[in-house]
Amino acid sequence: MRWLAALLLSLSAVALRADSNLPPAYWSDRQLPDPRQEAQAQALMAELRCLVCQGQSIADSDAELAGDMRDLVRRRIAAGERPAAIRSWLIRRYGSWISYRPTAEPAAWPLWLAPLALLALGALLIRRRIRLRGKA
Amino acid sequence: MIAEAGLAALWLAAGLAALQLVLMIGTLRGATDAGRAMRVIALVQGALTLVAFAMLLLVFATTDLSVALVYENSHSAKPFLYKVAGAWGNHEGSMLLWVTVLSVAGAFLALFSRRTGERTLIAALGSQAALALGFYAFLLIASNPFARLDPPAFEGRGLNPLLQDPGLAFHPPTLYFGYVGLSVAFSLAVGALLTGEVDAKLARAMRPWVLGAWIFLTLGITAGSYWAYYELGWGGWWFWDPVENASLMPWLAATALLHSINVLAARGALKAWTMMLAVIAFSMSMVGTFLVRSGVLTSVHAFAIDPERGTFLLGLLAVYVGAAFALFAVRGATLKEGAPFELVSRETGLVINNLLLSVILGIVFLGTLYPLLVEAVSGEKLSVGAPYFNSVAGPLALLLAVLVGVGPLLAWRRERRPVLKQLTVPALLGVTALAISLIIAPRIGILPRLGLTVAAYLAAAAILPLTGRNPLRAPLATWGMVVAHVGIAVGLAGMAANAAFTQETLAVTKPGERLAVGPWLVEFSGVTPTAGKNWTAVEGKLLATRGQGLVTLKPQTRYFTDPPTATNEAAIATFWNGQLYTVVGKSDGEDGWQLRLWWKPFVTLIWLGGALVGLGGALALAGHLWRLRRRHGASAEWHRERYA
Amino acid sequence: MSRAVRFAPLALFVLLVVSLIWRLSTPVDPTVKSRMVGKLVPDLVVPAAFPGQPARPLRNASCGPVVINFFASWCVPCIAEAKKLAELKRQGVPIVGIAVRDRPEDVADFLARNGNPYAEIGSDPQSKVQIAFGSSGVPETFVIDPYCTIRHQHIGAIDEGDVPTIRKQWEGLRK
């Protein structure tokens, strides 16, 4: 089910739409010199959704805006800002949609409660199937 | 002429499906006795759809541009293989493939099912016909693959180079054999619910079908993941994209079904759960087809969308799945379960396996549809992606992997031996792996670390069923189980290694400069322009070494004109202990080029594991079929013991 | 098996179908709206598009009411929009332009070809201002009130029908 043109066109292809004449921002395609910071930056970039190519993270997207956002993330992490703060800052501007990691807002609680709820439900359904030792 | 023949065959097949359904209803109500007639009709129906599909292949092979579909999706300059593969590389053609597999599966069901009760088989054939009928209607009314173009076109439009890849050509048929193969399990379950004959005999009849479909799904998903990895140039192998999830959900349901069937076959228990899983598995296939073609979810994989078609598919989905769930609700009360299972027994192990797989399935389902549900209720937009799925499904999958090592060691009914003693060596191996990972890689995440631990443990534990006996005398089905479970361990090791040890170097590089990635030193020689049949490219040349020897890699950025797109062709070098994955990106406006290099230790284990899982399934299927043939007519008692 | 358990799958499925019907009838809106509407304008200093001209802090004594238009010389819909912006300028609405990812020469070229409706033009070579506004593409237009608060966002090119709307929005904010 993954084989039609649209699939490939969006992911690996850079549609030759109107693009600016400027080269990519400095930190959009360069790694930070400190490997710890770079790892933090990459982890964050993988969790931020690209606003242009909406099925990708900014880490994978070829869109210019994605490159600029990568530049922004790296600069801020290099300046010492924590990834969570950068994510919140972006969420305040674009809404929770931009974060692939569901936030702590009430709308997302069912997601986090679901695993426990499902396990509990399952345990309830099978409780009569298993004879625990000691019970008749 | 050919196209019209195909269309006529399709209409005839649809008519026969309707007849089959009517006969089923008549026979079950006692008005007639059409068992033999139904079998013949099912066979003819299968043959007719094969004819229709063959006609479609023919018009694509000859690039008959008077057929609209060929005009839209083919081109006279396409290599022959891709001309033919183009037949299923579009919406209408793939739906025809779907229907063909559906009706051919029905034909095989009619031919080969000797072990099911007669009434159940008739009901199942009727259910299969009902399924086919809806999809015939969809094809004939809303997605006619044989529509003519008048006047015929001069040249086709479909020379999209991205579709001309062997992996992509064979991916759909492999997956469709899986998705649609599950329809037989669905029909058998529906049939058994109608007749009330839910028992061990049914389970043994269903098992080869489920195994067969599951093998195709496993291999199809594994191949799809590898294709995406090497073709799309971002170094990842799974994105938890909605369409990827749509392909995973039937697999999860089928895996749970496979194991549940074993309990039903061996002990006549877990009737309700097994029937429900059989219904859910094919329902997930249909939900997946709907999601991918309707535009309902944002995905890079979504097809060109037609909301009208989406509505038709939703209608089919609502009718089929709704009817099956309603049947379950009404008839579920008649499914009597036996005595509870002992705590330490294989049955209980399989119940917990079922539970964990179902919970994982529920989580993937909820996560995929949650943004839609939230927006429907409150208008708010949120995203659910990899961080959610990894952190929630990951630990559950690890827990499941631990139990996979224990379950096969347990006896049916009640395990009295101290089984945990057998696991001492695997547990020690796991702890050793954990300790080594702490020493050589103190900074990796907890999930990858646990993944490595569990993989080491499971690789040893999975082999235990073959020890303590002559391995050559062990049944083929046992070998299949062992190979598949070892495959899980191997795949898990690959996933964990990839997450823990991948190193990436990303830099804007000028010719002559060197970059380090992992143990490798890579020199960038510069870029040269090249060209292919329908593309021009910028090709980078990289010389990589890690001590001895020199490896040359030539990643490209290709530019196509028809349609205008650019793609990244990664250059990958594979070694015994990993892959060097290289991509060349954009120019910085001067003489520097953006290079992205990864060293991915043991990443190929991911797909090797998937292949092993599929191989294990094939061995188990071979074992079951061989035994069926040899022992056709043997007593049920004998079977129950041998399936331990 | 209790009736609740037997009917639960069907009930859940009905819920699912209802949501899918809803989704089919309300097509997906891919635009990402800014959450900065109602909040203060970002506290940034935007450099001028042309060298030699002063940079402008977004928050200052005379914040607005003003219309801020994000545009670019490489943005195709911006060409048609330029005429509508000229119309707004004729009606007395002050417009500040911010050129996203653009070189001065390309901006000059664009203005020469399509007219200059802007009172001032800033430059945003790395989309920093755009991101700070919660804007996700060009062209986009924001209306700012005298208290430096963003009051309206308009996504996409301004067309005939939008000109009076924006004019009214701006007028309504005048003290």
Side-chain angles (χ1 to χ4, degrees), chain B residues 208-209 619-631 643:
Chain B
W209 292 101
L619 287 173
L621 181 59
H624 287 309
L625 291 178
W626 184 65
R627 191 179 283 132
L628 280 178
R629 196 160 293 177
R630 273 190 64 190
R631 303 287 175 169
Y643 276 67

Side-chain angles (χ1 to χ4, degrees), chain C residues 39-152:
Chain C
K39 307 250 176 67
L40 283 176
V41 132
D43 195 8
L44 294 172
V45 177
V46 183
F50 300 111
Q53 292 184 353
R56 183 201 207 260
L58 283 173
R59 286 188 203 173
N60 56 37
S62 58
C63 256
V66 77
V67 169
I68 296 188
N69 174 255
F70 286 93
F71 76 104
S73 65
W74 46 267
C75 152
V76 174
C78 300
I79 298 174
E81 191 187 49
K83 293 197 186 60
K84 309 294 184 298
L85 290 174
E87 176 59 33
L88 272 175
K89 176 182 175 186
R90 259 199 301 278
Q91 296 184 12
V93 181
I95 311 175
V96 169
I98 299 187
V100 178
R101 304 205 104 254
D102 240 337
R103 297 184 300 194
E105 51 266 41
D106 295 324
V107 176
D109 198 46
F110 178 86
L111 295 174
R113 276 185 283 118
N114 301 302
N116 184 353
Y118 302 114
E120 295 170 68
I121 307 173
S123 157
D124 189 15
Q126 287 156 10
S127 308
K128 281 214 189 80
V129 183
Q130 193 180 27
I131 295 174
F133 265 80
S135 155
S136 56
V138 285
E140 278 189 29
T141 306
F142 292 86
V143 184
I144 320 290
D145 76 5
Y147 306 104
C148 303
T149 306
I150 302 174
R151 300 298 289 271
H152 302 280

Side-chain angles (χ1 to χ4, degrees), chain A:
Chain A
M1 293 186 179
R2 311 180 194 170
W3 30 256
L4 264 192
L7 129 76
L8 306 149
L9 276 176
S10 326
L11 245 191
S12 73
V14 172
L16 295 180
R17 55 178 180 266
D19 260 353
S20 79
N21 288 325
L22 287 181
Y26 188 80
W27 287 109
S28 69
D29 304 309
R30 285 179 175 81
Q31 287 174 307
L32 291 173
D34 179 345
R36 287 262 281 277
Q37 287 184 331
E38 175 62 23
Q40 276 186 326
Q42 293 217 357
L44 180 58
M45 294 188 301
E47 295 186 4
L48 294 171
R49 197 161 185 173
C50 174
L51 297 160
V52 178
C53 308
Q54 298 188 344
Q56 290 178 279
S57 68
I58 61 172
D60 308 325
S61 170
D62 278 330
E64 286 190 328
L65 187 58
D68 287 337
M69 286 181 101
R70 291 197 297 270
D71 175 272
L72 182 148
V73 166
R74 283 198 170 101
R75 277 178 199 276
R76 289 194 175 195
I77 296 221
E81 213 175 317
R82 302 180 75 234
I86 303 176
R87 181 184 17 239
S88 311
W89 188 88
L90 283 168
I91 290 177
R92 274 200 297 282
R93 273 141 190 85
Y94 293 105
S96 346
W97 181 91
I98 200 177
S99 169
Y100 270 125
R101 177 187 294 272
T103 56
E105 61 187 318
W109 287 352
L111 275 175
W112 299 110
L113 292 173
L116 295 164
L118 287 172
L119 277 171
L121 181 65
L124 219 71
L125 284 172
I126 66 173
R127 74 191 183 287
R128 289 216 201 90
R129 287 274 86 232
I130 300 178
R131 198 183 87 108
L132 295 172
R133 228 157 261 181
K135 287 201 190 152

